[in-house]
Amino acid sequence: QVKLQQSGAELVKPGASVKLSCKTSGYTFSTSYMSWFKQIPGQSIEWIGMIYAGDGGTGYNQKFKGKATLTVDTSSSTAYMDLSSLTTEDSAVYFCARLGYWGQGVMVTVSS
Amino acid sequence: DVVLTQTPVAQPVTLGDQASISCRSSQSLVHSNGNTYLEWYLQKPGQSPQLLIYKVSNRFSGVPDRFIGSGSGSDFTLKISRVEPEDLGVYYCFQATHDPYTFGAGTKLELK
């Protein structure tokens, strides 16, 4: 069955960067899209962007351009999201998702 | 950006009742390819969103037939007949027709 397994919680300092991973199984990764989402606890969800694993082509929500960078490693069927120049406003749960299947989410806390 | 307005904000129900949630879009969600990319999700506390309905009225794999999506253009409804305990949580509508993709603010289905 389809599984998306995300990396563990992160505590990072303001100004730093963090790389989140989403390891997949149960489907053909190299011909699929992967989307990423942000959810501040107690709030709604925002779409960050998506990547096509076949060629690494990306599409971003304008709001997250310069903040998020999406990549994939087809050899390990893993998608990645780099978040840069982190501020407290980036503290949130981040999800990867593909066609109705979601990862469990990873909490990123930005604090000095 | 497309704004999705969900009503009500909270829906108190008795188990076994029917519940209805509205999602109105600030513009038509009909894509140039003729499809309407309107989805419904349920998120329970501490969990990832789970896809219930895609393209307005199609139930995702394993979703019970008491969940019924309907609507067209910019006006959509999710009906839940005979609410069961596992149906409680926050419901979101989501559009993937216009970039950036956006979510509604959510409707909390709770016990009276």
Side-chain angles (χ1 to χ4, degrees):
Chain A
Q1 70 276 32
V2 176
K3 288 187 179 178
L4 282 68
Q5 181 66 39
Q6 296 188 240
S7 44
E10 300 273 3
L11 173 60
V12 294
K13 294 192 184 311
S17 297
V18 69
K19 189 168 188 170
L20 310 180
S21 66
C22 175
K23 183 164 177 58
T24 73
S25 60
Y27 70 97
T28 305
F29 180 80
S30 60
T31 58
S32 292
Y33 289 87
M34 182 71 74
S35 281
W36 289 84
F37 299 87
K38 173 185 179 182
Q39 185 175 35
I40 296 171
Q43 296 188 20
S44 185
I45 307 166
E46 295 181 277
W47 175 72
I48 295 171
M50 67 167 61
I51 184 166
Y52 179 61
D55 61 7
T58 54
Y60 293 95
N61 183 336
Q62 183 71 29
K63 177 179 176 179
F64 292 94
K65 283 184 179 176
K67 170 62 65 179
T69 302
L70 305 182
T71 56
V72 294
D73 176 0
T74 53
S75 68
S76 63
S77 299
T78 302
Y80 297 94
M81 178 170 68
D82 272 289
L83 297 170
S84 62
S85 304
L86 291 164
T87 72
T88 55
E89 293 183 358
D90 298 314
S91 292
V93 178
Y94 293 87
F95 297 97
C96 58
R98 176 253 176 196
L99 287 181
Y101 296 93
W102 289 59
Q104 80 276 23
V106 55
M107 182 73 213
V108 174
T109 303
V110 182
S111 173
S112 55
Chain B
D1 297 2
V2 171
V3 176
L4 298 179
T5 302
Q6 286 186 236
T7 55
V9 172
Q11 172 83 72
V13 295
T14 300
L15 296 179
D17 277 357
Q18 174 175 284
S20 182
I21 301 169
S22 169
C23 177
R24 290 201 165 119
S25 173
S26 58
Q27 57 185 278
S28 172
L29 297 184
V30 180
H31 193 276
S32 56
N33 65 14
N35 289 315
T36 301
Y37 297 104
L38 188 282
E39 300 174 359
W40 289 96
Y41 288 86
L42 165 60
Q43 188 175 33
K44 300 176 187 179
Q47 295 187 17
S48 308
Q50 51 189 93
L51 178 63
L52 301 171
I53 302 287
Y54 64 96
K55 285 199 281 185
V56 180
S57 59
N58 297 275
R59 275 185 292 275
F60 188 58
S61 174
V63 175
D65 60 7
R66 63 177 181 275
F67 291 92
I68 300 169
S70 63
S72 62
S74 59
D75 196 354
F76 305 92
T77 302
L78 176 69
K79 283 188 166 56
I80 311 159
S81 60
R82 308 180 310 277
V83 171
E84 300 195 4
E86 60 266 30
D87 301 338
L88 303 177
V90 180
Y91 288 78
Y92 294 100
C93 56
F94 169 71
Q95 69 83 20
T97 294
H98 301 288
D99 182 5
Y101 305 158
T102 51
F103 284 84
T107 295
K108 187 173 185 180
L109 192 69
E110 57 192 9
L111 287 178
K112 275 183 184 170

